[in-house]
Amino acid sequence: MIHTAIGRVLMPGMVLQSVIVGGAYGTGREVVQWVTSQGPRGGLLAVLVMVVAMSITLFLCYEIVRRQQVVDYRSFFRLLIGRLWWLYEVMFLLGLVLILAIGGAAAGEILQDRFGWSPLLGVAAMFLITVVL
């Protein structure tokens, strides 16, 4: 019974959380700043709260989709947001640019710290890898 609840409710939230914020956690800065600043117990509590919040959000989104028989994200956001549904796409693109900038900056800093190379080389390498993939 508990295993089923974890698999059906919490696990999708865990996956969603890792997809959405996993890249930011990759640098480690957010973990130090927000998760572990209150010690191990506070860090575990913060992660638990985030997983539960993501799980509830995802469950509610799935329920809306199921009840309204929505099969694509554009229709979902039209239903969820209304006339301003297109703002989701604008915000998504801005977020994507921000994530790529953070990843490039982190790559540049790592190459500079570890090898003494120019940070621009790390940014360029990250950009190239992103374009190729």
Side-chain angles (χ1 to χ4, degrees):
M1 182 80 167
I2 292 174
H3 183 269
T4 304
I6 290 172
R8 289 189 177 184
V9 178
L10 290 180
M11 190 61 71
M14 291 178 199
V15 172
L16 178 67
Q17 179 183 353
S18 68
V19 168
I20 291 175
V21 296
Y25 286 166
T27 63
R29 186 70 204 146
E30 286 77 10
V31 174
V32 170
Q33 185 71 31
W34 303 107
V35 177
T36 61
S37 64
Q38 300 299 315
R41 288 186 186 146
L44 288 174
L45 181 61
V47 169
L48 180 64
V49 167
M50 287 186 282
V51 166
V52 169
M54 291 284 190
S55 296
I56 291 169
T57 301
L58 193 60
F59 173 79
L60 292 173
C61 288
Y62 284 162
E63 189 61 19
I64 290 170
V65 166
R66 185 184 68 80
R67 287 186 183 200
Q68 299 296 322
Q69 298 295 308
V70 178
V71 295
D72 62 295
Y73 87 94
R74 185 170 289 174
S75 299
F76 174 71
F77 281 101
R78 279 187 183 150
L79 179 68
L80 194 63
I81 301 172
R83 291 184 320 160
L84 300 176
W85 66 269
W86 55 271
L87 280 177
Y88 168 77
E89 292 188 15
V90 171
M91 298 305 289
F92 184 85
L93 288 173
L94 290 174
L96 183 63
V97 169
L98 181 64
I99 289 168
L100 291 174
I102 291 170
E109 290 294 319
I110 290 169
L111 284 179
Q112 184 179 27
D113 288 347
R114 298 289 183 212
F115 305 109
W117 296 350
S118 168
L120 289 177
L121 184 62
V123 173
M126 189 69 170
F127 176 75
L128 182 65
I129 290 168
T130 302
V131 168
V132 169
L133 291 178

